Amino acid sequence: METKITENNHLDSEVGLYFGEHGSVEAQVFIKDGWIRIIGFGEVYGKKYPIKINFKL
């Protein structure tokens, strides 16, 4: 599975909800072979930061 978190849907995901409290998030979410990977950028107080999360199920 692959999905994109954008300005239009970022409040539909937990990652988007977290960053939505401080700014916006734009990322891709990949679920494959027992891994969840989130790669993109999040905005905190007006400054963009890279997001890279790898999580083994």
Side-chain angles (χ1 to χ4, degrees), residues 8-52:
N8 294 331
N9 70 0
H10 76 276
L11 297 179
D12 296 338
S13 69
E14 288 190 37
V15 171
L17 286 172
Y18 173 79
F19 281 100
E21 300 219 359
H22 304 287
S24 64
V25 65
E26 292 187 20
Q28 288 182 283
V29 179
F30 303 92
I31 300 174
K32 185 176 178 182
D33 299 329
W35 284 89
I36 297 174
R37 291 187 168 95
I38 302 170
I39 302 169
F41 290 90
E43 183 180 309
V44 179
Y45 301 117
K47 188 171 180 183
K48 283 192 173 185
Y49 294 91
I51 300 169
K52 186 174 181 183

